[in-house]
Amino acid sequence: MAFMNAVTIAGVGETEYSKNSGRSELQLSLEAISRALEDAGIDRKEVDGLLRWSVDTSPEATVAANMGIEDLAWFGEISQAGNVGAALIANGAAAIHAGLANVVVIYRGVNGRSGRRYGRGDVTGRSGRGAAAYSEPFGLLTPQHGLALMARRRMFETGVTSAQFGMVAVTERGHANRNPRATFYDTPLTLDDHQNSRLIVDPFHLFDCCLETDGGGAIVLTSTDRAKARPGPSAMIRAAAQGGYSSHGFTDTAAVALAPRLWKQAKVDPSEISVAQIYDHFAPFVVFALEDYGFVLRGEGGEFVSSGEITWESGSLPVNTSGGHLSEAYMQGMNQLIESVRQARGESTSQVRDAQFSFVDTGIGTGAVVLERGE
Amino acid sequence: MSDYLWVRPANLTLPDPDENSVEFWEGLKQGKLLLQVCGVCTQTNYPPMVMCSGCAGFDFEWREAEGGGVLYSYVVTHQPIHPSLVDYTPFLTALIELDEGPRVTSNIINIAPERAKIGMRVKLELFQVNSEITLPLFVHE
Ligand SMILES: [Zn+2]
């Protein structure tokens, strides 16, 4: 069996989120790591494992040198793009569970607005090589292009509408308006605002698209026994799974393959989840995740959203309670993982009561985590 | 039929053929959209693969596509998200399901983006960019 609460997210930390941090991506990571270790009550000398997104620009060795780590016993990166947050949690927890490391820090520092911008294909590139030779020459240049192509077909097949996607954005904005850390804390959003916002890549309107953010975030993993030094409720890793290479259908997210594995590993089913953070680089993918992870049936996600079921605090499954990537910050899943820890601990600005099980999808169904509150 | 004719952005990315796809791009230069067909299990691939996912074979044949298909999905780029796209938006990118089965990312060059409709019939129209590269584009019939 996988780790089943043997490993805990013992600390989380983040910098402010902005359009121009005024400092390096490395510094953003280091500041976030310091805060996460302080939150965990763990000295930096105890850290012996480091993990990052492969798109992150700060090598583990550089981070280790800055932290003064004497013996970096375990480290790594996970490839693809922003969507590997859960894979990092799963691999870090596995290393601790296997005894390869005692304290693993996962970090992300990015100048996503003032530096290289995802929305312009600065990170994912335009090479015309390999598989890109069959997409980029026809104008599929950025992540949103390929995802919009899938979303359009899924709208055709299931009848989900742009206005229902808009209600994802409106709901998340409402949550951001309660969260002082959120980029859009002070700015409300109506469905009319969404529907009247300009088209970026049709069917995606401006307010279907995530922010571009400068910021840093970090997560400290350690054994649940070691984590008990921190007082108060904790965020135990009930299950964590990665995926994404299955040969699923064009309109399926990778969750179609991953979800059965995740729920089996977690020994809970979707109806037992109280709160969810879902990777919303584009609003439609919240609807698709709700369906493909089995929270609702395929074709029912749009109605689930527009009828208020993902809205704090009246909804049955509040989603993206910090404002998500659409309205808090786009940290490639890091800020959503941090919010899920807050929910497990009872520290969110839109706290779901009695949230024993908290769910996180970290991108198009390619990875997910279930956290359980520990007392 | 409208008079619409899409103008391909002059600096839009071009394919950079690698060792696995030389025959495919050479076929287009000679006027043929080639589909990769497994010599053992007859699975048809687009884009070409290195190993057949159906039977793990490495022996492929090339078969010329008839050129007909339907619009399976599409997007319309409105925001010129790269300098190469300024003055060329909005434009349509289409996913065409060929009558042979595989889906091809392309452009439909004779309809305005707002006229795209899933299920519409299209047929192949080759577009020579330069002496090295010809692209498989489509027209609405
Ligand atoms: Zn075969």
Side-chain angles (χ1 to χ4, degrees), chain A residues 266-336:
Chain A
K267 295 191 197 307
V268 296
D269 66 51
S271 68
E272 296 173 81
I273 301 293
S274 304
V275 55
Q277 313 303 321
I278 295 174
Y279 201 93
D280 51 343
H281 43 3
F282 303 102
F285 285 81
V286 170
V287 175
F288 303 160
L290 288 168
E291 295 176 354
D292 290 358
Y293 280 103
F295 292 103
V296 295
L297 295 175
R298 193 178 177 100
E300 294 181 351
E303 175 59 25
F304 189 75
V305 169
S306 54
S307 65
E309 294 295 343
I310 70 165
T311 307
W312 187 88
E313 67 179 320
S314 56
S316 61
L317 183 72
V319 171
N320 293 345
T321 46
S322 66
H325 290 150
L326 298 177
S327 284
E328 184 189 39
Y330 180 46
M331 292 295 296
Q332 295 77 48
M334 175 59 90
N335 54 313
Q336 294 183 314

Side-chain angles (χ1 to χ4, degrees), chain B residues 38-43 52-57 60:
Chain B
C38 175
V40 178
C41 75
T42 72
Q43 177 173 297
C52 177
S53 64
C55 71
F60 295 103

Side-chain angles (χ1 to χ4, degrees), chain A residues 51-356:
Chain A
L51 264 181
R52 65 168 162 142
W53 282 246
S54 65
V55 292
D56 194 276
T57 58
S58 301
E60 301 89 88
T62 307
V63 170
N66 277 274
M67 289 175 65
I69 292 176
E70 287 164 7
D71 181 16
L72 185 64
W74 191 84
F75 57 90
E77 301 127 40
I78 295 184
S79 68
Q80 286 199 339
N83 59 309
V84 295
L88 291 163
I89 298 283
N91 282 271
I96 290 165
H97 196 49
L100 298 177
N102 295 311
V103 178
V104 173
V105 171
I106 300 167
Y107 60 90
R108 179 77 177 122
V110 60
N111 284 323
R113 181 63 171 76
S114 68
R116 298 187 308 159
R117 295 177 66 172
Y118 276 80
R120 296 184 177 178
D122 290 354
V123 180
T124 43
R126 278 179 297 274
S127 67
R129 284 195 72 75
Y134 305 90
S135 59
E136 291 175 353
F138 310 97
L140 298 188
L141 297 174
T142 62
Q144 64 257 38
H145 279 110
L147 295 167
L149 201 58
M150 174 190 163
R152 167 91 61 196
R153 180 71 194 186
R154 192 147 165 158
M155 292 168 80
F156 175 79
E157 289 182 359
T158 70
V160 65
T161 64
S162 171
Q164 289 173 326
F165 299 149
M167 285 309 295
V168 172
V170 169
T171 302
E172 292 192 22
R173 183 64 63 88
H175 299 161
N177 294 156
R178 302 174 46 80
N179 170 11
R181 297 176 310 278
T183 302
F184 280 129
Y185 173 56
D186 288 323
T187 316
L189 182 78
T190 67
L191 184 57
D192 278 348
D193 293 337
H194 172 276
Q195 289 289 284
N196 295 329
S197 68
R198 69 179 191 275
L199 287 159
I200 303 299
V201 177
D202 188 3
F204 294 166
H205 286 263
L206 175 67
F207 291 124
D208 286 313
C209 301
C210 66
L211 294 157
E212 293 174 298
T213 303
D214 287 11
I219 285 172
V220 179
L221 304 180
T222 192
S223 71
T224 296
D225 282 345
R226 173 69 184 85
K228 286 200 164 82
R230 186 186 184 280
S234 65
M236 302 187 295
I237 300 168
R238 174 95 179 180
Q242 65 187 102
Y245 282 106
S246 53
S247 51
H248 46 72
F250 180 76
T251 58
D252 295 330
T253 70
V256 168
L258 180 143
R261 271 195 288 122
L262 177 80
W263 300 126
K264 187 178 171 202
Q265 190 196 127
K267 295 191 197 307
V268 296
D269 66 51
S271 68
E272 296 173 81
I273 301 293
S274 304
V275 55
Q277 313 303 321
I278 295 174
Y279 201 93
D280 51 343
H281 43 3
F282 303 102
F285 285 81
V286 170
V287 175
F288 303 160
L290 288 168
E291 295 176 354
D292 290 358
Y293 280 103
F295 292 103
V296 295
L297 295 175
R298 193 178 177 100
E300 294 181 351
E303 175 59 25
F304 189 75
V305 169
S306 54
S307 65
E309 294 295 343
I310 70 165
T311 307
W312 187 88
E313 67 179 320
S314 56
S316 61
L317 183 72
V319 171
N320 293 345
T321 46
S322 66
H325 290 150
L326 298 177
S327 284
E328 184 189 39
Y330 180 46
M331 292 295 296
Q332 295 77 48
M334 175 59 90
N335 54 313
Q336 294 183 314
L337 287 163
I338 291 173
E339 172 66 7
S340 72
V341 171
R342 285 194 203 100
Q343 285 288 354
R345 291 174 172 178
E347 298 170 353
S348 172
T349 50
S350 293
Q351 181 62 43
V352 174
R353 251 175 273 166
D354 304 321
Q356 186 188 357

Side-chain angles (χ1 to χ4, degrees), chain A residues 119-120 126 128-129 133-134 136-138 140-142 145 148-149 152-153 156-157 198-202 250, chain B residues 8 12-13 15-16 18 21 24 47-48 72-79 81-82 93 95 103 105-107 118:
Chain A
R120 296 184 177 178
R126 278 179 297 274
R129 284 195 72 75
Y134 305 90
E136 291 175 353
F138 310 97
L140 298 188
L141 297 174
T142 62
H145 279 110
L149 201 58
R152 167 91 61 196
R153 180 71 194 186
F156 175 79
E157 289 182 359
R198 69 179 191 275
L199 287 159
I200 303 299
V201 177
D202 188 3
F250 180 76
Chain B
R8 188 175 190 278
L12 187 55
T13 314
D16 185 2
D18 58 27
S21 61
F24 173 82
Y72 184 80
S73 190
Y74 64 94
V75 299
V76 182
T77 301
H78 286 261
Q79 170 108 334
I81 44 184
H82 182 259
T93 301
L95 186 63
R103 297 187 195 119
T105 301
S106 184
N107 307 103
I118 288 177

